[in-house]
Structure formats: C-alpha cells, structure tokens
Amino acid sequence: MKVMLFKRLLQLITVIWGVGTLTFILMRSLPGDMAYRIAASRYGQDNVDSQAAALVREELKLDQSALTAYWHWLTDLMQLKLGDSLVSGLPVIDTVQHMLGHSLLLAFAGLIVSVLIAVPLGLLSAWRGNPLDSILMGLSSVIRSMPVFVIGVLFILLFALNWNLFPVAGFGSPAHLVLPAITLALSLAAVSNRVVRDSAKKTFQSAFYQFSQVKGLSLWQTFRRHGARNIALPVVAFFGIQLVSMIEGIVMIESLFSWPGIGHGLAHAIFARDIPVIQGSALMMGILFVLLNTLVDIICLWIDPRGVKNQ
Amino acid sequence: MKVMPFLKRMLFCVSLVSGALALSACSGPTSSNTVSISGAFEFTSLSPSKNGFVFSRMQVLETLLDVDEKGLLIPALAKDWKVSDDAKIWTFNLRDDVRFHDGAAMDADAVVNSLEIAKSKHGALRKAPIEKIYAKDNHTVIITLTRPFTPLGAVLANYANGILSPAAYDDNGEVVTLAGTGPYKVFQFEPPHKLVVERFDDYWGKKASIQYASYLTGHRAESRVLQAKSGQADIVFGLDPASLASLEKMDILTVHSNPIPRTIVLKLNSGHRFLEDVRARKALSLAIDRKGIAKGVLHIPGSEAEQILPASMTNWYLDDVSDETEASAGMPDSLLAELGWKKNAQGYLERNGELFELTLITYADRPELTTVATSIQAQWEKIGVKTNVEVTNSSAIPMGHQDGSLEAALMARNYGFIADPLGVMLSDYGSDGGGDWGAMNWNNKELSADLLELEQTSDPVKYKEIAQRSAQIIYNERPVIPVSSYVQQTAVNKRIKGFRFDPFERSYFLNEMEFVNL
C-alpha cells in the first residue's frame, strides 16, 4: 500500500510538470498572434483593434522570450502559484475552481445516478437471462448509439417544455442539475449495465458460486458472501475509467445545458490563448486523474486484498 | 426486514434537505421577484473597459451622458453640459443627489478619477484628443481638448467610461467591486455566465419595481429559444431567426424585431493587385445577391444593405441609392472583362496566367457570418472568382490589416458602438489607408479631410452635408462592401410590462419593467 502511494506521488509530480510543459509548448506553437487573441477575448469583437493588441502586449510583456516565460511559470508553480488569467485578470485558481467544481458536481451526480440505474439492471439481466437480457441489450445499444445531446434535447423537450418540471438550461439550483445529470447518467449506464451484467454472469456461472448453493446457502446468502465482491471488482475499475473520461467528455452536455464546466471553459481559454488558465485547468485535471486512479486502486484493493498479500 | 427502516430514513433525509433548500431559496432571487434575461455574450471581468456592456445593460453602470433611441445625447449623471465657442472646453454640471452603491456621494473628484482610469485603459477615450480632465468645484467637471472634437459627448456615453466610486478601484486602477450609480447593484457575479443584480433603493432616477434581475449566458441559440418557450427566461435576446415563426405562435410571448446599427460588411484590401481598381470591387459587390442572403440565409427579408450605415442614421444615409442605381453600374462580367479578366476552361477568371483567387476570412463568434461567407463564396464563384473561406478569430481582421496579409474579410461592424457614428467612421476611414475594421490600403484625401472637418463641425446643416458627401464617397469607391443590416430579435414573456428595446444596446431599461399578473 505504502509503495503504491509513494509511486503515485512520484507519478503526480511528473504529471504536473509534464502536463504544464506540454501545454506551454503546444500553446506557444499555435498559429496567430497571442496579443491579438487575448485582446479579442478581453474587449470583444466590436472593440478589438491593433491598439488593444499593442496594449495587451505591453501589459503582459508578451515580447519576452518563451524560455523566460517558461521559467517564470515554473518558479511560480514551485511556490504553488498558478497566476492570473490573461483575459479577465482574475486568479486562475478561482476560475478553475469554479469550472472544475461544476464539472465534478455534474460528473459525480451523473455517475451516482448511472450506478443506480446500471447495477440493478445489470444484475437483473444476468440473473433472469433472456428475454430481459436481450431487451436491455437492445435498449443499451440504442441509447449508446445516440449522440448524448440528442438524449439531452429529448429530455428538455419532455421534462422542461412539455411538463415544465425542470429548467431548460442554467445553473445555481439543484433543479438545474437534474436534467444534465440524468442525460449523462443514461449514456453512461448504457455501457456500464453491460459490464455489470457480464461480470455478474461470469460469477453466477462460476464453479465456486454454484457450489455454495449446492452446499445449502440461500440465494441471498450466496450473493452476499460469494457474489458481491467478485462482481464489484471489474465494475468499480470500469466506473473509475468512466469517471475520468467523462470529465473531459461532457463538453456537449455542458454546452447544451449552459453548464459552466471545464470543457466549455477550456475551449474558450484555448481560443483566447489564455495560457495560465489552460495550464491551470490541465494541471488540476492531471492531478485529479492521478487521485481518482489512486482512489479506484485503493477501493479495488479493499474489495480484493489478495494482490497485497501475494506481494 | 431491515430494508424498510433504511428506506424510510433515506426518504426523511431527502425531504429534510429539499425543505432546507426551498427555505434558503425564499430569501434570495426567485422566479417571482426576478426578471431573468438570457443573452449570447459571456463576460469575464468587472472592468468597464473590458465588459462594461453587460453592466451598462443591466443598469449597474452609468455614464455622464446618455443616448436616446435616435442617437441624440441626453443628460445622465451630468444634468447639463456646455461646449465653449472654440469647441475645446467641455463643462459638465453633475447631479447633486447621486450616490454610489457603496454609499459614497458622487462628486466631481469621483468622476475625474473614473475618467482618468478609463483614459489609461483601452477604449475610445484614450484616442480622444484630451488635454486635461479636472474638477472645477464639487459638482463641475471640465474637459479641455487639444483640438475640437464633436464626438466627445458620445464617447463619454460609451460603457467603458462609466462612473464608479473611488473605492471601486485598487491601487492599479483595476476594478475590485463594481460600485456604480445605476438603479441596480451587483448581487452575484459568476463569470463567465451569470450576473444577478439587485434593486438599489437610493437610486437618483426612476427606481426599479422588480427586486432582482439575472443575466445568463446561453451557449446555444437553440437552448435560449427553449428557455423562452418554457418561460424559464423572461427576456431572450439574439434569437435565431429560424425559430421566430414558432415563437410568435406562443401565447406567453411577444417577439420584438428591432433594427440595430450593425451591418455585415466585406472589408477588401484595396491595395491587392486584383482589387485596386474600383471596377473590380464593384463587380464583386454586384455579384452578391443581397436579397437572397437576407431572405434565404438570414431569414430576415428586407435586411439587405447597400450602405454601411442604416436608414436610422439620417446624417449618413443616402436616400437616392437603390437597386437601379446599383444595376446601372454595369454587369460584373463586363466590368471584369474591362480589366482584362477572361474565364478559363474551368470557369474561373484568369489574367496573364494568374487565377482570380481570394481568401475570405470571417469569424465564428456570430454564427450567421460563416453561412453568409459561404453564400458569398458561391456567388463569387459564379462570376469566376475562386474564393477560399477561412473561419478564424475576430482578431485576425485587425491583425491581417496591420500585416497586410488580409485579402477580403466578412465582419459584423457595430456602427453604434459609439452613439455618434463619426467615432467609428474616423477610426475606419479617417487615417491614411483606412483602419483595422474599415478600408484597407485605400486613400481618399477628400474623405479624410471631410471626416476631420466633421470633428469640428457643430452646425447640424453643415454636418449633414459633409456626412452625406462622405457616405457618397464610400458608396462610390467601395473600400468595403455592405451586405446586410442587423435586426435584433427578442422574445419577451407577457408577465413583463414595460419592455423597450434600445437600438444602441446600452440599457435593458429594467427599472421601467413591472410584473403583471396573467
């Protein structure tokens, strides 16, 4: 356990440095003049001109060499400073917190709802078999093959326009979270209920599981003592992967529901060449991925401690 | 058997939490005490120079002078003003009953402080020929100029020059709290999407009746339309024209269509070897089917434009320009043939072995620009001009102007950014060779002289005469080609009474609105 945590810490530091450096190089090598891009985002398209760009260049010292700028960033980072946004002038940490906070809220809410949908359906599907299994398989394929914003639009039409139960878009109250979270959850559950089903089916058909029933345990006792843990292991690992890929992948949902998340924010920061915000967001996401992976590893170890004992 | 109590406990917890949420929601803005506005534009900063537009529209920020719907200056924080005979000294008498949102009284020192800071930032005031801004006494501010400059009043009415409390700025002149003087004060500032303002009870003018107003940026036009339909947003700006028909059918909504002084224009590099002859520019202009674009692409029949400024700007609008005068200029094919262009086997124009090929850049901030650009591409290809459309960032236009790489650009120019169009005309056509958002490599000494003279002309008859002459030169010479004018489409929920639209988009007039019981 300690070895794993230490390894992960090393990984974290490498990720922070690597992600920051890579973003820096990529952003610097994008075409176009940074001063103009920043000026356009600061002052709006009606008010951007060469004077604004000159002012930005002077204020942000954009003429300095890339190496000097990189050195500034690195020394700031070592003091745990992420700097200020080039566009708004607000501290990057606040901006990232606002965006990432909303993305995480949406991601976790979506994940929890998806677990609530996927686990019972997957188990039921493995236990009952056909025809339920085939129906769920078909339904999952249909939902999975639909772009997520189609599901979102359908929900908006139904729940917001037809029944007026939830707001169409926006954020700030729990009601605003419902539709985007369910949209996300459905598209996630479409895959994860199949993973639960496969894992459960494998366990149900295994020799040890059948033996435990033969020796006289009830269905519930068998499931609790021999089923749950064995089924959970691949499922938890899969949810971990889903969560990580989801944080990047919810841009469409954020855009559809006007949700102020990191996907949308990052896209704007890239248009604006707002390097500190891009670096800050990429960094926080890198850190988050390492932490989430560690968390998933710890949970998996807790579910199945055999790996540690063997070491 | 243990399942039931657990479920009950969960249900209890959920009802407790939702009860608490409902209670906490009662004290702040709710749909019954808030007018909710949905618009397209994001904001990132409290600084008036950067995002003052949103604070001016939400009526947090006010300026010394205001503008009525015809573009005429009216008193605001200055109750009256006068200009000296040589037009170089402007004296503003301030209202004496104005308080900032932080409680401080608005006096001449506060105004001077705000204007000095605005002058140091990017904006129109920085470009004005200002010699000195000072307080004569507690309620009098004087601005002296190095040369007469008639648009100063309109420049001062621009949002970038809003008056804030001295305590609103930090030592570097950056805004830390937006303490303005308007009928609403900032309640919640969550860049880049949400701004909530609360009624300011000590406002000097007409006090607001609605307690809160919120502005939410909707990323997609489709989402905004649905917000209007569901009643979630009371006022939705910038509607997609394609959705108008369905919105007009709804009982709960009124749809307003208002022309605004913004025009889609093509900027041409008149120094480019293909475009330096006015006949080439005219041919390109003649090849554009403006009516088709207005009707088929923009879905606003009648919005086609032959002139850069709209009819509402009577000083600058030429009454005798019509399709007929346009057609009498000749056919695009014959004009191009006069210049030695011949169609090759592929149907493209060729001269001395060189293809007539242009790169047309535009930007994605306004989605209609991309579709209009591709229509123009198709229409130009018809007369044999090979056109490559590149969709980029708005800053590529001033950049391409400066480094000379720009060939043609499609843009939406706001001629009402400064309420007096002379401000924009000066920066677009005033100096040699044009400006970032105007003419490029195009010199017309007569026009430069005329615009400079307008800066110093206060006689309205003479002003109109010179303005008309300038507009005629631009029309004849086509350094830019107008395509279409803008109509702002707004959906307003019927529970709101007192909505009116400001063509200069300076204010939403929230303080004039009331809720009506339906």
Side-chain angles (χ1 to χ4, degrees), chain A residues 114-128:
Chain A
S114 86
V115 171
L116 291 179
I117 301 172
V119 173
L121 284 187
L123 288 177
L124 204 65
S125 171
W127 181 44
R128 278 291 169 89

Side-chain angles (χ1 to χ4, degrees), chain A residues 32-33 36-37 40 42-43 45-52 55 87-90 98 102 156-157 160-161 164 167-172 174 176 252 254-256 258-260 264 268 271, chain B residues 21 41-42 44-45 49-51 121-122 126-127 159 190-191 193-194 216-220 223 226-227 229-230 232 262 363 365-366 392-395 398-399 402 412-414 417 436-437:
Chain A
D33 187 329
Y36 274 95
R37 287 294 184 122
R42 267 194 190 185
Y43 303 108
Q45 37 138 340
D46 283 339
N47 201 10
V48 53
D49 55 20
S50 42
Q51 284 185 352
L55 210 68
V87 173
S88 69
L90 299 174
H98 178 75
H102 277 92
I156 290 178
L157 292 178
L161 280 184
N164 222 335
V168 172
F171 60 101
H176 284 106
M252 276 317 300
E254 286 174 1
S255 173
L256 183 66
S258 301
W259 192 260
H264 174 79
H268 272 242
F271 295 147
Chain B
L21 284 169
F41 297 100
E42 295 191 352
T44 50
S45 163
S49 131
K50 292 177 189 165
N51 293 132
K121 308 267 183 219
H122 171 63
R126 192 184 173 89
K127 297 169 196 163
Y159 60 72
E190 274 193 61
H193 294 120
K194 195 184 210 174
L216 180 76
T217 314
H219 301 168
R220 309 181 70 86
S223 301
L226 294 176
Q227 282 180 315
K229 283 187 176 174
S230 71
Q232 189 201 338
R262 181 187 286 280
Y363 45 96
D365 303 39
R366 292 180 173 269
T392 160
N393 181 270
S394 56
S395 64
M399 200 169 85
Q402 291 297 327
R413 187 71 172 132
N414 182 0
F417 182 67
D436 286 346
W437 290 88

